[in-house]
Amino acid sequence: MAKQGMLSSLCPRKYQVFISFRGEDVRTSFISHLRSALSRDNIKAYMDDHNLQKGDELWPSLCQAIQDSELAIVVFSEHYAASKWCLNELVEILHCRKSQGLAVIPVFYEVDPSHIRKYDGTCGEAISKYETYFGDKDNESIQKWKAALAEAAHISGWDSHSREYK
C-alpha cells in the first residue's frame, strides 16, 4: 500500500483503477464482485458502465479515464477480443504503460493466457473475422490489436483457471 500512496502523491490521478472488460461476458459475474471489493476498500475505480456521463463522447472520455488512472486491470474473457472497443482500450492502456508508467494487471477470466498470446480459440476467431471483414484497408488497427494482445498476455497477471498469478 505504501507504493500506492507514493504514486498518488507524485502524480495525483482521478482514479486509482481503470477496469477494461467485455460487459456481456463478465458484468454480472466477476466484475460485480471486483466492483464490490474495490468499493469496500475505498478504491476509486473507473468502469464505463458507471462513470461515463450522459452526453460524454465515448472514446475521448475512455482515453482520458485511462490516462487519469494509476492502475489498469484488463479482464480478458471469452469474447474480449470480439469487441473493437476493448481492443482499442487495450492499445491505449499499453501506450500509457509505456509513456506514463501506468501499472497493468491482466486477469485471464475463464480463458487460457496462451490463447490471448497466440490468438487461439475465440480470440483467434475474432482476429480472423476482423482480418476478413476489414481486409487490407484497416490492417494497421488489426496489427496494433494483435501486438497489444500479445504484449498484455506476457504481463504477469491472474489466471482464474489456476487461481494464481502467471
Side-chain angles (χ1 to χ4, degrees), residues 39-125:
S39 178
R40 187 173 46 250
D41 289 340
N42 293 318
I43 295 173
K44 189 166 184 180
Y46 181 95
M47 289 174 263
D48 62 4
D49 63 336
H50 274 180
N51 296 94
L52 197 58
Q53 301 299 312
K54 301 291 185 216
D56 283 354
E57 289 187 52
L58 291 174
W59 185 243
S61 296
L62 288 172
C63 282
Q64 191 62 55
I66 293 167
Q67 293 166 13
D68 287 346
S69 298
E70 295 178 33
L71 168 75
I73 297 175
V74 181
V75 182
F76 290 105
S77 56
E78 185 178 7
H79 299 288
Y80 183 90
S83 167
K84 291 183 283 183
W85 282 99
C86 288
L87 293 173
N88 286 328
E89 281 181 11
L90 182 61
V91 169
E92 181 65 19
I93 286 167
L94 294 174
H95 168 76
C96 289
R97 180 178 187 241
K98 291 176 187 154
S99 66
Q100 61 190 51
L102 177 68
V104 177
I105 299 175
V107 173
F108 302 96
Y109 183 77
E110 301 298 324
V111 295
D112 188 317
S114 70
H115 289 183
I116 304 298
R117 193 170 24 256
K118 298 175 183 176
Y119 327 116
D120 287 338
T122 56
C123 180
E125 291 169 14

Side-chain angles (χ1 to χ4, degrees), residues 3-23:
K3 184 176 182 183
Q4 183 180 8
M6 285 179 18
L7 282 175
S8 297
S9 64
L10 293 175
C11 53
R13 306 289 175 138
K14 189 173 182 179
Y15 304 102
Q16 291 169 296
V17 179
F18 178 93
I19 303 174
S20 176
F21 64 97
R22 171 78 173 183

